């Protein structure tokens, strides 16, 4: 993989004469990650430029590179991602930038979002998460319309290995029965069991499948910032609010919003969420005008909400509004028949991401995985 723009500038004029495909600039100092993202994006029909650092990215933009999106790593030698983001926001304020990092700390995410990032992906991320970020920016959903003969793979086909066990087939049956309805769904289970995959499947088989799927991690942001992230804000709502910003509920209009770790939401926000469930409307932070939305709400938690209701830390009325359909996802130790296929799926993904050969597994390791409890 070249550490520079992948297609010569001289060919761009010829490209423009044909149907212009969306273009993404990938900025990451890891060769394997650049190669992995370039491959994943090209399969989806994007033109891809890559470079290995912030200064090179700025230079490409100055020289006429015209991406529709920048995927920008946070941790890079020299000028890091946050400094590069600040420079991009100052000079190209309309250019969407999605930050990427192995650091998932709330403070880093908050810093990136406050600096103007359009979204944030925590490495290693799955392709469905990349698809969701592209959808939210409006690139992926428009791709099929811009390419004659391009057929978008239904998201319901992603992650099929999770549906082979009896427990997961039963969950899939429930999903299919509620797919064409707009009932609120509460997904419960331990961390890492696949609650987000279940939520995406609910969206993928629903009548809203062509609308946006918007994910919000309620545990990743403090409650004051979470409120503005969910409901948006008006100009002057707080220091630094230089203009109106849409929240995730508005972005999810005509689609599905997935509220992950709903048990971490504070009491004032619980009351505002209840209003959205009851009236399908809310006010932006610092505003007084009601905003109407058409959104299906899917929530997930690894906490016992019923116990939280008994303890007075979660609203009882909200709990019953969320718990219209409850789906309990069992841990992997209760779905061991999935392990071989999951192992092969992850081996292939990370071999491609890090440029490593795909080697076989020892019998000892296979036996160890069969016995492992998979905590966490």
């Amino acid at each position: 993989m070249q550490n520079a723009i992948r297609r010569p500038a001289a060919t761009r004029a010829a490209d423009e004469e044909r149907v212009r495909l969306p273009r993404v600039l990938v900025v990451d100092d890891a060769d394997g990650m650049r190669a992995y993202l370039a491959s994943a994006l090209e399969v989806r029909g994007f033109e891809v430029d890559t470079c290995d650092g912030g200064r090179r990215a700025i230079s490409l933009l100055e020289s006429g590179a015209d991406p529709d999106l920048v995927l920008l790593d946070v941790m890079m030698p020299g000028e890091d991602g946050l400094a590069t983001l600040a420079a991009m926001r100052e000079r190209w304020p309309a250019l969407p930038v999605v930050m990427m990092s192995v650091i998932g700390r709330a403070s880093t995410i908050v810093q990136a979002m406050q600096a103007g990032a359009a979204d944030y992906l925590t490495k290693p991320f799955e392709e469905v998460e990349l698809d969701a970020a592209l959808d939210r920016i409006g690139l992926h959903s428009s791709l099929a319309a811009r390419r004659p003969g391009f057929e978008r793979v239904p998201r319901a086909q992603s992650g099929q290995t999770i549906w082979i066990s009896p427990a997961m087939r039963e969950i899939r049956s429930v999903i299919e029965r509620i797919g064409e309805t707009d009932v609120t769904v509460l997904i419960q289970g331990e961390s890492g069991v696949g609650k987000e995959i279940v939520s995406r499947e609910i969206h993928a088989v629903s009548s809203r499948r062509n609308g946006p799927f918007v994910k919000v991690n309620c545990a990743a942001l403090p409650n004051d910032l979470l409120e503005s992230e969910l409901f948006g804000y008006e100009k002057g709502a707080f220091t630094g609010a230089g203009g109106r910003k849409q929240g995730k509920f508005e972005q999810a209009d005509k689609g599905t919003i997935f509220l992950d770790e709903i048990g971490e939401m504070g009491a004032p926000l619980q009351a505002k969420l209840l209003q959205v469930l009851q009236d399908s409307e809310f006010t932006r932070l610092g505003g007084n005008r009601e905003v109407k939305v058409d959104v299906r709400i899917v929530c997930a938690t690894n906490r016992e909400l019923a116990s939280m209701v008994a303890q007075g830390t979660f609203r009882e009325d909200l709990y019953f509004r969320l718990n219209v359909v409850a789906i309990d996802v069992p841990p992997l130790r209760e779905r061991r028949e999935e392990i071989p296929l999951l192992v092969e799926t992850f081996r292939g993904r990370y071999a491609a991401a890090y440029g490593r050969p795909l080697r076989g597994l020892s019998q000892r390791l296979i036996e160890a995985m069969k016995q492992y409890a998979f905590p966490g």
Side-chain angles (χ1 to χ4, degrees), residues 1 6 24 26 31-50 71 127 130-131 348-349 352-353:
M1 181 65 59
R6 300 183 72 236
V24 180
V26 177
D31 293 346
M33 182 55 69
R34 291 199 305 276
Y36 167 70
L37 285 171
S39 176
L41 290 164
E42 286 172 348
V43 164
R44 287 158 171 76
F46 290 91
E47 296 284 354
V48 184
D49 303 330
T50 70
L71 292 175
E127 289 189 21
L130 175 63
D131 284 338
R349 178 182 303 155

Side-chain angles (χ1 to χ4, degrees), residues 36 127 340-359 361:
Y36 167 70
E127 289 189 21
L341 283 174
L342 288 170
V343 168
E344 291 306 311
T345 297
F346 289 122
R347 286 178 67 218
R349 178 182 303 155
Y350 292 117
Y354 300 116
R356 302 291 179 86
L358 192 59
R359 299 189 177 93
L361 302 179

Side-chain angles (χ1 to χ4, degrees), residues 135-261:
D135 272 340
R136 289 192 288 272
I137 292 165
L139 285 180
H140 196 237
S141 58
S142 66
L143 186 57
R146 299 171 78 166
R147 295 188 65 202
F150 178 84
E151 181 179 355
R152 183 175 179 181
V153 177
R155 195 161 294 156
Q157 293 179 13
S158 64
Q160 287 298 317
T161 53
I162 198 173
W163 306 110
I164 65 174
S165 65
M168 295 307 294
R169 285 202 299 270
E170 177 59 30
I171 288 176
R172 178 62 184 270
S173 175
V174 172
I175 290 172
E176 290 173 348
R177 290 200 298 271
I178 65 174
E180 295 302 316
T181 73
D182 276 339
V183 295
T184 305
V185 183
L186 177 62
I187 307 168
Q188 301 179 97
E190 298 176 11
S191 295
V193 296
K195 297 188 291 295
E196 183 176 345
I197 291 177
V198 172
S199 73
R200 291 185 183 277
E201 196 74 6
I202 292 169
H203 176 72
V205 304
S206 75
S207 58
R208 297 174 177 267
R209 66 180 67 88
N210 294 321
F213 176 93
V214 177
K215 173 189 173 183
V216 181
N217 187 338
C218 299
L221 299 172
N223 270 277
D224 54 349
L225 188 57
L226 179 60
E227 181 177 4
S228 66
E229 189 72 7
L230 286 172
F231 303 109
Y233 54 78
E234 298 287 352
K235 181 178 180 180
F238 51 84
T239 303
R244 174 185 293 173
K245 179 185 175 182
Q246 280 193 343
K248 297 298 187 183
F249 269 97
E250 287 179 84
Q251 294 173 21
D253 192 41
K254 302 298 189 295
T256 303
I257 189 168
F258 173 50
L259 302 178
D260 198 11
E261 303 298 349

